[in-house]
């Protein structure tokens, strides 16, 4: 059973524009994951359906001043899987286990009976997690991490029984034979200062995945290309290499799914290079950008806005005193990031500041 994950963009998640502290959306290496935690909603039965499920959870978690929805994924009774913090962001679901654990809420509460569709989807998500991490993750309920009633008696019994799912065929163990002729290659190469291969991370990895899909080599993806290189990327790239006449799919052979300079240049039309790093000044705090505030930070912000083309509301240029012109220029910039509502109110947060100076 494959997993189709409904992205944050699809269900209408609030953009990340809050301080990524220890409970926030800091990136986590897949190699850090060793546990898979199952949660439920609480004491009452859940009657919400569809996109209303993750939106309701997000609203509650934002009210807790968290950076956004705290679970990595949410599973509905219909078997839908919604992206929360995803595979590579630190969770906010079980203190002490937010880096090592992937947290998944099955949207039921109290003594509500989990549906077969929900259990099958959660089990498929668990198998996908094991494939991505490259090892078997410990199956746990929330109460295995801290003292709590979560995930309730029914889900906890299901977890302890090994997470069985009616009619579900478990996926192969991580590291097993997946490419004809050999096991999946799990090493990295560096080309132009950028890493490619299992575990590599960045926009350049997403670019490779999208190029593969465009050329018709995307059948192994279950949730689309992403910034983290997984076995799916390797298998798709191997298919692409074999279409070019390369042979040998065992690790370190010519069609093992790890890019070489020639195949990568042909796929992308060029060889990407690592851009020089640019130091982003530390965000000085929201209090520096409020009516009556005056500081060098306001001037610095204004100059960055003008440099990026968002200074039309200034009449005499940026200055040290926060003004309505500053707010309106910031709002224009935020809306250009496809943000709305309180995320585009004209008052900069850490993510607005980072994007302005990146």
């Amino acid at each position: 059973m494959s997993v189709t994950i409904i992205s944050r963009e699809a269900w209408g998640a609030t953009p990340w524009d809050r301080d990524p502290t220890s409970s926030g959306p800091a990136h986590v290496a897949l190699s850090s994951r060793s546990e898979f935690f199952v949660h439920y909603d609480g004491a009452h039965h859940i009657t919400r359906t569809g996109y209303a499920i993750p939106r309701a959870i997000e609203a509650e978690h934002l009210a807790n001043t968290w950076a956004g929805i705290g679970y990595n994924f949410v599973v509905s009774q219909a078997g839908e899987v919604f992206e929360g913090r995803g595979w590579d962001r630190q969770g906010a679901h079980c203190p002490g286990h937010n880096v090592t654990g992937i947290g998944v809420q099955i949207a039921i509460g109290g003594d509500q009976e989990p549906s077969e569709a929900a259990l099958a989807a959660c089990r498929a998500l668990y198998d996908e997690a094991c494939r991505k991490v490259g090892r078997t993750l410990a199956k746990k309920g929330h109460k295995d991490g801290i003292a709590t009633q979560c995930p309730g008696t029914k889900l906890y019994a299901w977890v302890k029984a090994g997470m069985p799912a009616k009619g579900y065929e478990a996926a192969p163990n991580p590291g097993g034979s997946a490419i004809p002729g050999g096991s999946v290659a799990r090493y990295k190469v560096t080309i132009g200062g950028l890493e490619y291969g299992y575990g590599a991370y960045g926009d350049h990895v997403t670019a490779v995945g999208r190029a593969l899909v465009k050329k018709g080599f995307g059948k192994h993806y279950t949730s689309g290309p992403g910034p983290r290189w997984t076995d799916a990327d390797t298998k798709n790239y191997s298919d692409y290499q074999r279409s070019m006449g390369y042979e040998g799919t065992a690790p370190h052979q010519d069609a093992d799914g790890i890019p070489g300079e020639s195949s990568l240049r042909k796929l992308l039309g060029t060889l990407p290079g690592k851009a020089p790093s640019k130091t982003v000044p530390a965000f000085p705090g929201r209090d520096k950008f409020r009516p009556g505030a005056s500081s060098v930070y306001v001037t610095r912000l204004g100059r960055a806005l003008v440099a990026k083309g968002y200074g039309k509301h200034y009449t005499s240029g940026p200055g040290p005193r926060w003004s309505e012109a500053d707010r309106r220029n910031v709002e224009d910039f935020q809306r250009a990031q496809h943000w709305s509502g309180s995320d585009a109110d004209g008052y900069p947060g850490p993510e607005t500041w980072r994007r302005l100076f990146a």
Side-chain angles (χ1 to χ4, degrees):
M1 177 179 176
S2 61
V3 183
T4 299
I5 298 174
I6 299 171
S7 70
R8 290 171 50 81
E9 291 78 14
W11 63 259
T14 300
W16 297 115
D17 190 27
R18 291 170 179 260
D19 188 17
T21 58
S22 61
S23 63
H27 288 288
V28 174
L30 280 172
S31 59
S32 301
R33 307 294 197 185
S34 59
E35 306 164 291
F36 187 95
F37 282 91
V38 175
H39 301 255
Y40 78 162
D41 193 79
H44 304 289
H45 287 200
I46 304 304
T47 58
R48 292 183 293 270
T49 59
Y51 292 4
I53 295 172
R55 289 171 181 169
I57 298 171
E58 181 191 62
E60 179 183 349
H61 289 186
L62 287 174
N64 291 339
T65 70
W66 297 355
I69 192 168
Y71 303 108
N72 297 93
F73 300 97
V74 175
V75 177
S76 75
Q77 284 281 62
E80 302 158 309
V81 179
F82 299 100
E83 179 188 24
R85 300 206 171 184
W87 298 113
D88 62 345
R89 291 182 186 269
Q90 182 178 175
H93 59 90
C94 188
H97 301 268
N98 288 323
V99 171
T100 58
I102 293 174
V104 177
Q105 188 207 84
I106 295 181
I108 62 172
D111 62 353
Q112 192 171 359
E113 197 73 42
S115 70
E116 292 293 348
L119 296 180
C122 187
R123 177 53 195 264
L125 191 62
Y126 168 81
D127 283 342
E128 179 70 8
C130 293
R131 284 195 296 272
K132 285 182 174 292
V133 173
R135 61 174 177 269
T136 301
L137 300 177
K139 303 181 183 80
K140 294 187 176 183
H142 188 187
K143 67 191 324 182
D144 291 321
I146 62 172
T148 176
Q149 295 298 311
C150 182
T153 56
K154 294 183 178 180
L155 277 181
Y156 191 65
W158 176 70
V159 171
K160 289 306 175 184
M163 296 172 61
K166 186 176 181 180
Y168 175 78
E169 183 178 349
N173 290 328
S177 180
I179 297 178
S183 60
V184 181
R186 286 187 172 162
Y187 67 93
K188 288 186 284 190
V189 296
T190 300
I191 302 174
L194 298 171
E195 287 189 331
Y196 300 88
Y198 190 77
Y201 182 89
D203 292 340
H204 64 291
V205 174
T206 304
V208 169
R210 289 174 176 168
L212 287 168
V213 171
K214 187 175 181 180
K215 287 183 178 292
F217 299 99
K219 71 178 183 181
H220 298 289
Y221 291 126
T222 58
S223 57
R228 178 79 61 186
W229 190 288
T230 69
D231 286 345
D233 295 285
T234 302
K235 287 184 270 188
N236 286 328
Y237 204 94
S238 176
D239 290 344
Y240 163 66
Q241 289 170 324
R242 282 182 286 156
S243 76
M244 297 173 65
Y246 295 168
E247 298 179 352
T249 59
H252 300 285
Q253 293 184 334
D254 290 341
D256 67 354
I258 305 301
E261 288 192 9
S262 297
S263 64
L264 189 63
R265 182 183 286 111
K266 184 170 183 179
L267 177 68
L268 300 177
T270 184
L271 282 182
K274 188 173 183 179
S277 60
K278 181 179 179 181
T279 302
V280 176
F283 179 62
R286 298 176 189 271
D287 61 309
K288 301 296 191 298
F289 309 103
R290 290 292 183 266
S294 180
S295 71
V296 296
Y297 300 110
V298 178
T299 303
R300 185 180 296 179
L301 175 84
R303 289 173 178 169
L305 285 165
V306 170
K308 287 191 177 289
Y310 296 92
K312 72 177 183 181
H313 298 292
Y314 290 130
T315 57
S316 57
R321 182 168 295 281
W322 180 261
S323 67
E324 179 62 12
D326 292 296
R327 192 199 68 77
R328 293 177 68 187
N329 286 329
V330 171
E331 181 181 4
D332 288 346
F333 175 75
Q334 290 170 330
R335 291 191 181 281
Q337 313 307 304
H338 305 291
W339 299 342
S340 61
S342 62
D343 294 301
D345 61 2
Y347 294 101
E351 182 62 15
T352 298
W353 180 270
R354 185 190 69 77
R355 294 194 184 195
L356 267 175
F357 288 95

